[in-house]
Amino acid sequence: MTYLAPRQGLFAIILLVSFCLQTLLLVISTDQQLSKSRALKGEQMVAQLIDEARLSLENKDRVSLSVIANRYTSEQDVTRILIKDNNDDVLVPVGNAPMQQGDTIRQIATNGDAVIGSVSLTLKDISKGEIIAMQWPFVIGSMLLHLLLWLIYGYLARPTKEQINALSRDIQDLHREQYMQIDPRSYDRDFERRSTDRDTVGSTESTTDSETTPMHKFDVHSEVNQYLKTQQNQNGASDTGGASASTTESATAERTDHQSASRQNEISSANASSKDSSAHKSSSASRLSATRSFDSVRVQIVFHDEFNMLERLAPAQRLPYLALCTQLLNQAVTELLKQPLLLGVSVMNEPRFEDNGASVLLKADNRHAKVALAGVMLGKLYLMLNKIIHDKHIELSRFALPAKAGVSDDAQSEAMTQLLHSIGKKEQMLILLPNAGTKQISHHVQVHSVMRPTTVYERECAIFDGGNDAMIQRLADVRNAVLMVENDGESST
């Protein structure tokens, strides 16, 4: 019979602790090496950035500084670059340091003896998981080595035959001493009788020895096995034996309470979910009804900003650009509502462009006012104006963004906001109106449905596809009037 090595489980725990400590030391040493190399690299990048941006920094050219800084943020280790002038005012903030913190290297930019600004560069911290992923061959090799050591210990530390025989003799002596303490006189009599039988009976002795010797060996073997198992498992048996009886009743009680509580929770949650689902169905049905009534239309205009350039733009450039868009939109609303075709339509708010766009609420003053057509014309008019402004700004190497628009009744404004972000494309206009609004615009514009819709709102939504000659001519006239007003305002200022 094969015996296990003594305390093999304890040896496995020691090897596990050794593996964890070895991995920890590897991570610490690798992190120190990478930190030193990244610090040297960061200082070289800052010095190179100052050399390239010295002229732009003297002139405070934010556009050139932004272009130069963006080249350095493409590096994997760089998370943020902050360029300041000599007055410690921020000129260009580039990067996403609030999302990923790290070490910051700051250096003052000089031109001769004059200080012209400063550059701060933030390097991303290397996570411990990345270090382990980089050193995976060493980690796996160390784990296999510790496993091999455990297997070798289990094979080499098994008791030999000599150790088992010595242990068996110790067990016999122990049982003999215990037996003598119980009844020493009977033990002496039995010992004398066995010795007499061995001396006087020859054939009987051989037969008896052949029958009793296997039994004696079997008993000793069982005693040895039991003794080894007792020595190896005495700690675990003493701990688990006393706790099993005390925890049976408490576990049964807790399981019963948990089952009853879960049944009550299931019943209450089922009732609540049925009420919520019925209320949600009724409200959704009222909002999605094609025959719903409406007397107001909301026109939403958002920027098509794929790379979040507006957030990275400095306030000195962003605020004037938003003010220009707001002025353009307000003038477009004013000029458009002068059209006789849109008599009875009024604007209910003062639209203003923010980072997330602008919204215009149009209302019908009477039942003959074509508020849906006014919303569609306003959305298309601003897209035409923004196209001109965008192309002009790009030609002059100035910042500008394309736009997209959405027209819906006021009840569907939140749904239209989601549609603009999910399926809206550059210079495109989405329309989400009930049957009455669709009927108003059907004689003036052409629309097409969304390809492969995935939601109810996408199925009800339409995309502006063009207008008739009369409406396009009206929009062109209004566009020219707005641009003339803008030019007059700029010349007067």
Side-chain angles (χ1 to χ4, degrees):
M1 182 177 180
T2 303
Y3 296 95
L4 297 176
R7 298 186 178 181
Q8 193 169 359
L10 179 61
F11 185 73
I13 295 174
I14 294 174
L15 290 179
L16 180 61
V17 173
S18 173
F19 171 75
C20 294
L21 290 176
Q22 191 174 13
T23 305
L24 178 62
L25 292 176
L26 171 68
V27 171
I28 293 174
S29 61
T30 306
D31 184 58
Q32 291 180 352
Q33 295 176 0
L34 292 177
S35 297
K36 292 180 180 178
S37 61
R38 286 169 57 250
L40 293 176
K41 180 181 177 181
E43 292 176 358
Q44 293 176 359
M45 292 176 65
V46 170
Q48 185 177 356
L49 176 59
I50 291 175
D51 292 337
E52 293 181 8
R54 182 171 283 111
L55 181 59
S56 301
L57 190 58
E58 286 182 302
N59 299 328
K60 297 183 179 181
D61 187 359
R62 298 175 184 268
V63 176
S64 300
L65 291 174
S66 177
V67 173
I68 295 172
N70 280 325
R71 292 204 306 267
Y72 287 86
T73 54
S74 61
E75 292 288 336
Q76 185 177 1
D77 296 334
V78 178
T79 62
R80 183 176 173 85
I81 294 177
L82 193 65
I83 301 177
K84 298 181 179 180
D85 57 8
N86 54 356
N87 296 324
D88 207 25
D89 294 329
V90 177
L91 295 178
V92 174
V94 180
N96 55 353
M99 302 295 294
Q100 296 179 347
Q101 297 295 339
D103 298 330
T104 301
I105 300 173
R106 186 176 183 272
Q107 187 171 344
I108 297 175
T110 59
N111 188 6
D113 296 332
V115 177
I116 60 175
S118 63
V119 175
S120 299
L121 185 142
T122 303
L123 297 174
K124 180 181 68 175
D125 283 335
I126 298 179
S127 65
K128 305 302 183 291
E130 292 178 353
I131 295 177
I132 294 176
M134 291 167 54
Q135 301 291 340
W136 67 267
F138 179 85
V139 175
I140 294 178
S142 177
M143 182 178 63
L144 294 177
L145 177 61
H146 283 79
L147 180 61
L148 181 62
L149 291 175
W150 182 74
L151 295 176
I152 292 174
Y153 172 80
Y155 178 79
L156 296 179
R158 291 180 300 176
T160 61
K161 291 183 180 180
E162 291 78 10
Q163 292 175 341
I164 294 174
N165 293 332
L167 186 60
S168 65
R169 287 193 297 269
D170 294 338
I171 294 174
Q172 288 180 3
D173 295 337
L174 178 63
H175 280 272
R176 187 182 299 115
E177 292 174 359
Q178 292 178 354
Y179 190 78
M180 288 180 64
Q181 291 175 1
I182 294 173
D183 192 359
R185 290 178 298 176
S186 63
Y187 178 78
D188 293 337
R189 288 195 299 270
D190 292 340
F191 181 77
E192 292 176 356
R193 187 179 67 252
R194 286 195 299 270
S195 61
T196 304
D197 291 339
R198 291 192 190 96
D199 293 337
T200 57
V201 183
S203 61
T204 306
E205 183 180 4
S206 61
T207 305
T208 305
D209 290 339
S210 63
E211 292 176 357
T212 58
T213 300
M215 291 296 295
H216 178 70
K217 291 182 179 179
F218 177 78
D219 292 340
V220 172
H221 191 76
S222 300
E223 293 292 339
V224 172
N225 193 14
Q226 183 178 2
Y227 180 77
L228 290 175
K229 290 182 179 180
T230 303
Q231 292 296 324
Q232 293 178 0
N233 301 325
Q234 58 183 355
N235 294 329
S238 61
D239 294 336
T240 57
S244 59
S246 62
T247 57
T248 303
E249 295 181 357
S250 61
T252 305
E254 290 177 359
R255 185 162 54 251
T256 305
D257 296 338
H258 178 69
Q259 291 176 354
S260 61
S262 62
R263 292 193 191 98
Q264 294 177 358
N265 291 333
E266 289 176 358
I267 295 172
S268 61
S269 62
N271 294 331
S273 61
S274 62
K275 294 179 181 179
D276 293 340
S277 61
S278 61
H280 178 70
K281 289 179 180 178
S282 61
S283 61
S284 299
S286 63
R287 291 200 308 268
L288 289 174
S289 175
T291 59
R292 63 184 182 274
S293 59
F294 76 102
D295 58 353
S296 61
V297 166
R298 185 172 294 273
V299 182
Q300 302 182 49
I301 301 170
V302 298
F303 296 113
H304 186 76
D305 192 2
E306 296 178 331
F307 305 103
N308 296 326
M309 296 298 295
L310 191 61
E311 296 180 359
R312 301 181 180 180
L313 196 65
Q317 287 181 302
R318 183 176 69 252
L319 297 179
Y321 177 71
L322 294 178
L324 173 63
C325 295
T326 301
Q327 183 179 0
L328 198 67
L329 178 59
N330 287 321
Q331 194 62 38
V333 173
T334 303
E335 295 293 331
L336 181 66
L337 295 184
K338 294 179 181 179
Q339 296 292 315
L341 180 64
L342 304 179
L343 186 64
V345 178
S346 59
V347 61
M348 300 301 295
N349 67 331
E350 184 177 354
R352 181 180 180 83
F353 267 93
E354 303 291 344
D355 291 348
N356 56 352
S359 176
V360 182
L361 181 62
L362 301 177
K363 183 176 178 60
D365 297 334
N366 54 67
R367 60 187 183 90
H368 299 290
K370 298 180 179 181
V371 65
L373 181 60
V376 173
M377 292 180 67
L378 177 60
K380 182 60 179 176
L381 174 61
Y382 187 81
L383 292 179
M384 295 167 62
L385 292 169
N386 190 80
K387 173 68 174 174
I388 297 174
I389 299 299
H390 176 264
D391 293 343
K392 186 64 176 177
H393 277 64
I394 297 300
E395 181 181 350
L396 298 175
S397 300
R398 298 177 63 183
F399 176 81
L401 288 173
K404 51 189 175 182
V407 181
S408 66
D409 53 326
D410 199 23
Q412 299 291 347
S413 59
E414 295 182 0
M416 177 53 69
T417 303
Q418 298 176 2
L419 289 173
L420 285 173
H421 286 86
S422 60
I423 64 173
K425 297 180 180 179
K426 180 173 62 175
E427 299 177 0
Q428 190 181 69
M429 182 166 58
L430 305 180
I431 301 173
L432 185 61
L433 295 171
N435 289 341
T438 305
K439 185 177 180 181
Q440 277 188 23
I441 66 175
S442 60
H443 300 292
H444 302 274
V445 301
Q446 293 84 36
V447 297
H448 66 272
S449 302
V450 177
M451 298 294 294
R452 293 183 293 275
T454 58
T455 63
V456 178
Y457 294 116
E458 291 181 8
R459 187 176 67 247
E460 298 294 332
C461 180
I463 301 176
F464 181 85
D465 201 18
N468 56 21
D469 296 338
M471 193 190 79
I472 297 298
Q473 185 60 43
R474 287 192 184 94
L475 291 177
D477 295 339
V478 176
R479 177 198 61 190
N480 297 333
V482 172
L483 293 177
M484 289 178 63
V485 172
E486 292 293 327
N487 292 332
D488 292 342
E490 290 179 359
S491 61
S492 63
T493 56

